[in-house]
Amino acid sequence: MKRFALYLFSLAFVFVAHATTEWTLQGKSYNVDTINHIVAGPGTTLTSLRLTGAQNLNVFYTTTDLTNPLVEMRTVKSKDVIYAREKVSDMALRNDNDKEQYFLGVNADFYNMRRGNSIGSHIAHDEIYYLDDNGRTQWAIGNNRKPIMGKMDISCTVIANDKAIKLIGVNKVAKGHGLNLYTAKYGKTTDKIDKIVEVALIPVESPISVGKKVKLKVSSAVKKGGELEIPSNGYVLSGIGAERKFIKSLKENDIIEITTTVSLANGTNITPSEVISGYPVILRNGKVTDPVDILKHLNGLHPRTAIGNDSTGTKLTILIVDGRSKVSEGCTSKVLADIMHHVGCDDAMNLDGGGSSELYVKSLGICNVPSDGVERTVANGIFAVANVPVDNEIASIRFADYKKTVNKNDTYAPVFYGYNKYGILIDTNVKGVKLSCPKKLGKIVQKGSTLQAKGAGTHLLTAKLGNLTTDINVTVKE
């Protein structure tokens, strides 16, 4: 799991960094070395940075071109149920199929560590998994494939017997008063609660989804005390407190309607297929917000996860800052926001961090070093999905390094990555590649696999596998 990240950052201390610049993060200066930059999938790159300054930080981020027709962003609930935790890598592997490749993923929402349910609202591929208006912010993919983030009003309204009542939650533990809706993702039955009354519902034509008014038929008599079986293809509507009367008015075979809408703070309605929660928005229109008084941990040095986008909404960035170690100490939310801005984001939102921070890339595994030392099980994740069939034929090759600096008389035996015709990384150690170079760079030894640097300056090293070619700039130091 840790091999990729540890390998990259061991190189940072052995070789001169490939590209160095300086950033100012919350008034403090950092040297920024680009350790590596590779293609991770269709329209997607993975970049690794080493920051040295007020804190030492290892940063990993991906950039995805959302205009690429092969790629879409999706969210996944662990094990596809409310009360469960699962590794990000396992979520990807479980959802991979013959037509869809989950090639990149990151942990998402904060969650109940004991039960595994997320803290905030979650819609995955049009299905409402969890709804709770608890003040958290959300990230969504809108109608035009562009990301949206901020506080969203996700509203489910039940209409029956000339009354319209807004749900207080979906798959939420019933407390106080109000109407709750339960789906089969909650479990086999609802909870046992003495003062609750419930009915089962089945769709008349289509299931509940955002932006639609759907009809549902009452399929059971009113049951008191909870523990009502949830239909595998339906729902349970429960009432507690003042809403008990509404449930008691329903009879078997009655038809009710449920309308689901999602609106932004400015009142604009959207119909996203994916919504996931985090907290808070840390960058808005290129300016760092001031969220440190909202949650105490935002002002401490911790591992961090963030998601953001550029001003056009076409470039999506997922970023991890490792933390809680001497190698990478972690950062505050404001420093995280500054980093997101430096890598090209105008808007960004904080996701769950700490030991949950993990970035997965297919064929590479977990690319950062989680602070627990192992990949943690989490509540849900955000994934880049390639809508392409499985294809294990290498159609292009690339150097694993994006640039290289060596000392004169040193040898360099490069590693090669192989990609299929869709741009998915399928082989991280391609064999049989042959090198060639100009004499002023050096000579090729070890049956064409290794450069022996003899010259000085920067020159092109070329590699060939059959009719596939690629090259890299190699700088030789005297």
Side-chain angles (χ1 to χ4, degrees):
M1 176 200 68
K2 296 188 285 184
R3 197 169 297 166
F4 178 77
L6 292 178
Y7 168 74
L8 284 183
F9 286 101
S10 68
L11 295 183
F13 301 105
V14 175
F15 300 110
V16 175
H18 300 311
T20 303
T21 187
E22 187 174 295
W23 289 352
T24 298
L25 307 176
Q26 292 300 297
K28 296 180 180 179
S29 180
Y30 289 77
N31 287 325
V32 182
D33 297 327
T34 301
I35 305 304
N36 212 5
H37 178 77
I38 68 169
V39 173
T44 303
T45 57
L46 167 65
T47 305
S48 308
L49 305 176
R50 176 66 177 172
L51 277 63
T52 52
Q55 285 83 41
N56 293 323
L57 301 173
N58 289 344
V59 175
F60 303 81
Y61 72 94
T62 62
T63 302
T64 299
D65 179 2
L66 296 179
T67 66
N68 189 310
L70 298 182
V71 181
E72 65 177 85
M73 303 305 298
R74 292 190 189 170
T75 63
V76 172
K77 179 66 184 80
S78 58
K79 299 184 180 179
D80 209 28
V81 295
I82 299 301
Y83 294 113
R85 292 166 56 181
E86 187 176 21
K87 296 176 182 178
V88 169
S89 58
D90 287 341
M91 292 184 211
L93 293 171
R94 178 170 57 81
N95 283 278
D96 261 359
N97 59 67
D98 292 342
K99 297 180 180 179
E100 299 168 327
Q101 314 302 311
Y102 283 66
F103 69 90
L104 183 153
V106 68
N107 67 292
D109 196 8
F110 300 83
Y111 59 95
N112 182 311
M113 294 193 70
R114 182 176 65 86
R115 302 196 70 186
N117 56 300
S118 61
I119 299 298
S121 300
H122 183 192
I123 298 172
H125 218 42
D126 295 320
E127 182 175 356
I128 300 174
Y129 274 71
Y130 187 70
L131 174 58
D132 185 6
D133 185 13
N134 58 9
R136 297 280 171 158
T137 49
Q138 284 78 40
W139 174 90
I141 288 292
N143 319 42
N144 54 4
R145 288 169 53 93
K146 291 186 178 181
I148 303 167
M149 65 185 69
K151 183 68 181 70
M152 300 177 190
D153 178 18
I154 307 174
S155 177
C156 289
T157 303
V158 180
I159 304 168
N161 299 327
D162 297 323
K163 291 185 178 180
I165 302 177
K166 183 178 177 180
L167 296 177
I168 61 170
V170 174
N171 289 328
K172 176 183 173 183
V173 175
K175 294 180 180 179
H177 64 87
L179 292 182
N180 267 291
L181 186 76
Y182 296 93
T183 77
K185 305 301 184 185
Y186 190 79
K188 292 183 178 180
T189 67
T190 59
D191 299 320
K192 182 179 180 180
I193 301 176
D194 291 339
K195 296 182 180 181
I196 208 165
V197 291
E198 299 175 320
V199 292
L201 307 171
I202 57 173
V204 173
E205 293 177 346
S206 60
I208 296 169
S209 62
V210 175
K212 293 182 180 179
K213 179 186 285 186
V214 300
K215 293 183 178 180
L216 302 137
K217 183 172 72 174
V218 177
S219 60
S220 76
V222 174
K223 184 178 186 299
K224 299 179 181 179
E227 293 186 311
L228 181 58
E229 182 177 349
I230 303 172
S232 60
N233 63 336
Y235 312 91
V236 165
L237 185 64
S238 70
I240 193 168
E243 308 307 343
R244 286 165 52 92
K245 185 177 180 180
F246 179 82
I247 298 295
K248 287 180 177 180
S249 72
L250 300 175
K251 299 178 179 60
E252 280 193 79
N253 297 316
D254 279 357
I255 300 297
I256 73 169
E257 294 179 333
I258 292 185
T259 301
T260 305
T261 60
V262 179
S263 59
L264 307 178
N266 62 8
T268 301
N269 283 345
I270 60 173
T271 54
S273 60
E274 312 289 334
V275 175
I276 208 158
S277 296
Y279 199 64
V281 172
I282 56 174
L283 187 68
R284 180 67 79 188
N285 298 322
K287 296 183 179 180
V288 178
T289 63
D290 191 17
V292 294
D293 293 331
I294 300 175
L295 297 172
K296 289 183 179 180
H297 71 75
L298 295 174
N299 207 28
L301 301 182
H302 298 288
R304 301 284 178 188
T305 305
I307 189 167
N309 56 266
D310 68 349
S311 60
T312 69
T314 62
K315 297 292 189 296
L316 180 83
T317 296
I318 291 172
L319 184 142
I320 297 281
V321 178
D322 276 350
R324 298 177 182 167
S325 75
K326 293 181 180 179
V327 175
S328 186
E329 298 170 70
C331 67
T332 67
S333 67
K334 285 187 175 182
V335 168
L336 178 67
D338 275 341
I339 293 173
M340 291 295 282
H341 192 227
H342 275 288
V343 300
C345 293
D346 263 38
D347 301 303
M349 187 174 78
N350 182 64
L351 298 172
D352 189 20
S356 298
S357 291
E358 51 192 79
L359 178 63
Y360 164 85
V361 173
K362 195 172 186 176
S363 296
L364 295 175
I366 299 301
C367 296
N368 67 308
V369 182
S371 63
D372 286 355
V374 295
E375 185 184 0
R376 180 184 284 184
T377 55
V378 295
N380 49 29
I382 302 171
F383 294 84
V385 181
N387 294 303
V388 299
V390 174
D391 181 0
N392 293 319
E393 183 176 346
I394 294 176
S396 64
I397 58 171
R398 296 174 183 268
F399 285 81
D401 300 304
Y402 84 110
K403 288 183 180 180
K404 191 66 177 180
T405 299
V406 297
N407 293 318
K408 189 172 183 178
N409 296 319
D410 279 353
T411 58
Y412 171 44
V415 173
F416 294 94
Y417 288 166
Y419 297 81
N420 65 21
K421 64 183 178 182
Y422 304 111
I424 294 177
L425 177 59
I426 58 173
D427 191 337
T428 57
N429 191 14
V430 179
K431 300 297 184 182
V433 181
K434 301 298 181 182
L435 301 175
S436 62
C437 69
K439 289 184 179 180
K440 51 190 174 183
L441 177 58
K443 65 179 181 178
I444 305 302
V445 297
Q446 298 295 321
K447 298 180 179 181
S449 67
T450 303
L451 166 70
Q452 187 172 41
K454 292 294 185 181
T458 300
H459 307 284
L460 209 59
L461 177 63
T462 301
K464 187 173 183 180
L465 177 69
N467 62 352
L468 307 177
T469 61
T470 188
D471 49 47
I472 187 175
N473 283 314
V474 176
T475 298
V476 181
K477 294 180 63 183
E478 293 279 2

